[in-house]
Amino acid sequence: MSDNTESTTTAGQIDTVMHESRLFPPIGEFVAKARISSLDQYQQLWDEAKESPVDFWAKLAQEELHWFRPFETPLKWEEPHAQWFVGGQTNASYNCLDAHLTTDRRNKAAIIWEGEPGDVRTLTYLQLHREVSKFANALKELGVGKGDVVSIYMPMTPELAIAMLACARIGAVHSVIFAGFSAEAIADRNNDAKAKLQITADGGYRRGKVLPLKETIDAALEKSPTVENCIVLRRTNNNPPMQEGRDHWYHNLMERASSDCPATPLESEDSLFILYTSGSTGKPKGIRHTTAGYNLYVKKTFEWVFDIREEDVYWCTADCGWITGHSYIVYGPLSAGATTMMYEGAPNFPAENRFWELVEKHQVNILYTAPTAIRAFIKWGDHHVEKHDLSSLRLLGTVGEGINPEAWMWYHEKIGGKRCPIVDTWWQTETGGIMMSPLPGAIPTKPGSCTKPLPGILPSIVDEENQPVEVGHGGMLCISHPWPGMLRGIWGDEERYKEQYWSKVPGSYLTGDNARCDDDGYYWIMGRIDDVINVSGHRLSTIEVESALVSHPAVAEAAVVGRPDDLKGQAIAAFVTVTGEASEELRQELRLHVRKEIGALAQPDDIRFAAAVPKTRSGKIMRRLLRDIACGKETAGDTSTLEDYSVLVSLRDEEE
Ligand code: WT7
């Protein structure tokens, strides 16, 4: 199993990756109908874009977006600030909805949704337009206007997409917070963003249980003084308390809202949304994306990578709480006029065959999921898959972390029936959309590689001295020309934006990933260069988890590292020094404490009590050493071990 972080950068690991020489050319049947159907065609497009990226994007922007007012300047670039399509006015909600109403797509399914209990709803473009317009009016009624931040904490229901699009319609800036985060985490984000309004639900279904979302929001809003109103969707009928004057039922607001709400013309660079993600410090960053550039980028990359056809049912299994849901459930597919499927619940409810049942029932043609899910399916057993007819599938995708070649082969054989290309898409919250991926009708795939950059994307790999590395060598992955989907900043933290992404390699955006490029120009992502770990395709900062641990009164010091995990990619291992007695109860309490502080996804898998946290002479935690120990044979369950690192520390001190 691959450890996506540092260990892959050691010589031995690079060798193993290099042995992966299987090449899967695009499949004939697929190529025949593909938009981009040969390597030459891809190369031509990429070369054209490289020649003049600004003209390339300007032409696409004119063709692909609706302009209330045309733009004058395609790009203003004052490093590190890019402004795309300056002078123009557009609206992402218009591009996703109104633009289709005068076409044959008017009555086409925009969203096919299935709830975890099995309830199904389909919204056509016309119906979705109506719901979004009404909800936008409801937001206005509560005083929300252009530039106001709206915090969204909802289950995966159509109303989550409706809420996002309604914000976009009136120029409000949404900040979607994944429904697994704790009240503390929500309050932090609400305060950082100065959110004015909260949208939530009475609950959501997960593995047959009701998630008490409103209770969590009540606790969060106690600490979110900027939030004036809270809209509550009735999903589970679990009757949470409603606070007079602050809380409003979604259905009551909708009942009286007019469905007439023309999309507000917005400046290209008006903020569309903020999305919080982990960086290498304890404080999450509010990644800011803007209107026109983001919209264009997700629309085009969606069309290129998923080779979407009018009749397709496309299903991305992500949650709208992450960037994948923003870009490839909502904004990309809808602006391309596609049918996008949403599913509310868990992949193993009521049984481990739920995804395959959904694929068969809704005749899904394109499936986009995460390697961590694929590894779970493998573990659960092929019989869950074999029960179902998956012949509707024609294209598969992955995102979130590298996919190990064995999981890739299983996906190819068992899910794709060897007839579906696989697109391994590399990108980040910051990049807005997919940056590197095979184009399924054009680029032969190699299991484990995200293959080549999309048109308009110019990657480079450099060493510590900012020199380009030789072919086949690992280094820091950078992007050397602005692209329309790039982040425009970190909300309220200009310094961190500069420092994080633009200070290390002058003139280039620093991705934070290590990568290497092989003889064929294929890219292999080798994991992060910073203290960010990837748990089930979700980014977490080790320092964030450390801060949560240290905030417990019994903890003196904590050091957190990632260790390889068969299912999650990386698991969280914590080394903790306590002020009093170490015990099994405390271990359990600390797990719950982190869960309460951040959310279930950050709960440590291993907690080891240690006499001291090993540090270098300059006081830096020796993470490499801890990683070695975390990966080692010693079992984490042993409560009695108070490890003494002093010997190891003195041995390793020089290396760090
Ligand atoms: C980090 C970004 C992009 C949406 C989901 C995650 C890792 C992502 C791949 C891939 C290898 C990948 C990188 C990246 N990553 N996709 N196909 N192969 N690594 O978004 O939370 O912003 O995390 O995920 O390390 O930097 P995110």
Side-chain angles (χ1 to χ4, degrees):
M1 187 57 50
S2 68
D3 171 359
N4 282 313
T5 2
E6 288 71 1
S7 65
T8 43
T9 64
T10 64
Q13 289 272 347
I14 290 180
D15 281 351
T16 16
V17 176
M18 283 201 176
H19 292 148
E20 182 52 64
S21 55
R22 285 171 287 199
L23 191 72
F24 293 82
I27 292 146
E29 229 175 287
F30 194 97
V31 175
K33 286 194 183 174
R35 287 167 190 250
I36 300 171
S37 57
S38 70
L39 199 52
D40 280 352
Q41 206 187 336
Y42 156 78
Q43 198 59 51
Q44 248 175 21
L45 195 64
W46 194 81
D47 290 344
E48 179 201 326
K50 179 179 191 251
E51 204 50 49
S52 177
V54 177
D55 294 340
F56 175 79
W57 291 117
K59 182 164 171 282
L60 287 177
Q62 262 153 15
E63 293 165 0
E64 302 285 346
L65 301 181
H66 170 79
W67 294 100
F68 295 101
R69 191 175 72 204
F71 58 88
E72 283 151 15
T73 315
L75 174 65
K76 272 191 198 164
W77 176 230
E78 285 156 30
E79 194 190 319
H81 298 289
Q83 291 176 271
W84 283 92
F85 316 123
V86 182
Q89 285 186 334
T90 184
N91 181 296
S93 174
Y94 187 101
N95 292 318
C96 288
L97 302 169
D98 307 56
H100 307 303
L101 298 187
T102 52
T103 73
D104 289 352
R105 291 172 181 153
R106 183 179 171 85
N107 294 312
K108 174 179 174 174
I111 296 177
I112 296 176
W113 171 80
E114 184 159 325
E116 196 184 71
D119 38 346
V120 174
R121 274 165 67 196
T122 300
L123 286 151
T124 65
Y125 274 94
L126 185 65
Q127 290 166 334
L128 184 60
H129 176 263
R130 189 182 162 83
E131 295 298 308
V132 169
S133 300
K134 287 177 77 169
F135 193 59
N137 277 330
L139 291 175
K140 283 197 216 161
E141 189 192 316
L142 291 176
V144 175
K146 192 179 150 180
D148 289 335
V149 176
V150 172
S151 168
I152 302 179
Y153 185 76
M154 291 178 85
M156 277 290 285
T157 52
E159 285 77 9
L160 170 49
I162 290 168
M164 293 163 72
L165 291 163
C167 290
R169 200 162 186 83
I170 59 174
V173 182
H174 58 70
S175 163
V176 183
I177 301 170
F178 173 63
F181 278 110
S182 69
E184 293 293 326
I186 301 165
D188 280 352
R189 287 158 176 75
N190 283 351
N191 288 321
D192 186 77
K194 303 197 174 57
K196 185 169 177 185
L197 181 122
Q198 181 72 57
I199 307 174
T200 190
D202 57 353
Y205 292 102
R206 189 80 192 173
R207 284 196 191 90
K209 295 207 186 79
V210 171
L211 298 174
L213 302 179
K214 177 62 165 53
E215 276 82 342
T216 306
I217 283 296
D218 284 339
L221 294 191
E222 273 174 34
K223 296 181 181 173
S224 310
T226 57
V227 174
E228 296 162 7
N229 288 287
C230 175
I231 301 177
V232 186
L233 172 75
R234 180 168 279 161
R235 166 72 187 128
T236 57
N237 286 316
N238 71 340
N239 290 319
M242 296 288 280
Q243 187 177 310
E244 185 71 39
R246 185 194 73 183
D247 298 347
H248 314 264
W249 285 108
Y250 183 97
H251 56 268
N252 290 343
L253 294 169
M254 289 295 265
E255 220 172 70
R256 54 176 189 262
S258 147
S259 59
D260 181 23
C261 181
T264 307
L266 299 172
E267 299 300 322
S268 291
E269 285 298 336
D270 280 342
S271 296
L272 177 61
F273 64 85
I274 325 170
L275 184 60
Y276 284 86
T277 187
S278 296
S280 44
T281 75
K283 190 174 180 288
K285 320 179 259 197
I287 302 299
R288 186 171 77 92
H289 284 286
T290 58
T291 301
Y294 172 82
N295 198 165
L296 174 68
Y297 195 70
V298 295
K299 180 179 181 189
K300 274 326 286 181
T301 53
F302 176 73
E303 292 175 350
W304 284 330
V305 173
F306 297 105
D307 195 49
I308 194 80
R309 294 179 201 158
E310 212 55 70
E311 66 276 20
D312 280 330
V313 173
Y314 159 89
W315 180 26
C316 165
T317 69
D319 190 289
C320 287
W322 312 110
I323 190 69
T324 309
H326 284 60
S327 302
Y328 299 111
I329 295 177
V330 179
Y331 290 109
L334 295 178
S335 39
T339 297
T340 178
M341 189 164 112
M342 284 173 85
Y343 167 59
E344 177 187 32
N348 54 354
F349 188 85
E352 284 77 5
N353 66 332
R354 185 64 185 272
F355 270 25
W356 319 119
E357 189 179 82
L358 282 161
V359 167
E360 182 173 4
K361 177 171 169 189
H362 297 284
Q363 293 286 288
V364 172
N365 305 105
I366 303 173
L367 176 70
Y368 189 30
T369 194
T372 184
I374 296 169
R375 291 190 297 263
F377 299 138
I378 297 172
K379 188 179 144 220
W380 293 338
D382 294 357
H383 57 288
H384 294 296
V385 179
E386 285 155 4
K387 279 202 278 223
H388 297 279
D389 175 6
L390 303 182
S391 60
S392 61
L393 289 172
R394 65 178 193 86
L395 176 62
L396 304 174
T398 66
V399 61
E401 61 180 306
I403 179 163
N404 42 310
E406 273 37 68
W408 195 101
M409 289 308 297
W410 184 89
Y411 199 31
H412 173 68
E413 285 168 12
K414 295 289 172 199
I415 306 303
K418 298 188 186 164
R419 70 180 183 281
C420 305
I422 296 179
V423 290
D424 172 348
T425 63
W426 175 83
W427 57 295
Q428 309 177 296
T429 303
E430 291 89 340
T431 67
I434 298 167
M435 300 291 276
M436 296 205 256
S437 166
L439 298 185
I443 301 181
T445 50
K446 299 184 187 186
S449 165
C450 58
T451 75
K452 291 174 180 266
L454 295 187
I457 301 306
L458 309 174
S460 60
I461 301 177
V462 301
D463 62 20
E464 286 293 337
E465 271 83 52
N466 295 337
Q467 295 307 309
V469 299
E470 279 169 52
V471 170
H473 287 253
M476 296 182 288
L477 177 63
C478 300
I479 310 291
S480 54
H481 191 279
W483 67 101
M486 68 193 271
L487 79 164
R488 299 301 196 270
I490 295 177
W491 195 258
D493 201 341
E494 171 66 14
E495 272 318 299
R496 192 171 177 195
Y497 171 66
K498 283 189 190 155
E499 149 75 33
Q500 186 88 51
Y501 305 108
W502 300 96
S503 62
K504 203 156 179 176
V505 185
S508 282
Y509 164 78
L510 183 74
T511 66
D513 280 344
N514 272 319
R516 74 184 170 85
C517 186
D518 71 15
D519 292 335
D520 302 323
Y522 278 54
Y523 287 81
W524 301 79
I525 304 296
M526 293 155 66
R528 302 282 308 186
I529 56 180
D530 50 20
D531 292 327
V532 171
I533 53 178
N534 188 324
V535 179
S536 302
H538 302 307
R539 232 202 275 186
L540 272 174
S541 131
T542 52
I543 298 166
E544 222 174 319
V545 183
E546 283 162 10
S547 313
L549 283 166
V550 174
S551 72
H552 189 282
V555 175
E557 227 178 354
V560 168
V561 295
R563 65 155 171 84
D565 180 89
D566 281 353
L567 280 184
K568 301 198 254 188
Q570 284 188 292
I572 303 173
F575 295 79
V576 173
T577 313
V578 289
T579 46
E581 279 293 298
S583 66
E584 190 50 48
E585 289 72 50
L586 180 60
R587 192 196 304 273
Q588 199 47 33
E589 197 179 312
L590 292 179
R591 280 213 182 91
L592 291 175
H593 179 71
V594 175
R595 193 189 177 104
K596 185 178 148 278
E597 290 293 308
I598 307 176
L601 73 166
Q603 185 170 296
D605 297 86
D606 314 337
I607 294 184
R608 297 188 184 211
F609 295 113
V613 167
K615 293 196 182 141
T616 60
R617 279 189 208 105
S618 61
K620 273 183 80 182
I621 295 174
M622 299 173 76
R623 293 181 191 280
R624 205 177 311 169
L625 166 66
L626 290 180
R627 270 193 293 268
D628 289 352
I629 296 168
C631 303
K633 298 277 182 288
E634 309 111 293
T635 54
D638 182 359
T639 44
S640 61
T641 39
L642 283 170
E643 303 184 58
D644 179 6
Y645 299 111
S646 52
V647 182
L648 280 169
V649 173
S650 57
L651 281 174
R652 305 281 187 104
D653 204 2
E654 307 309 317
E655 292 173 30
E656 265 319 280

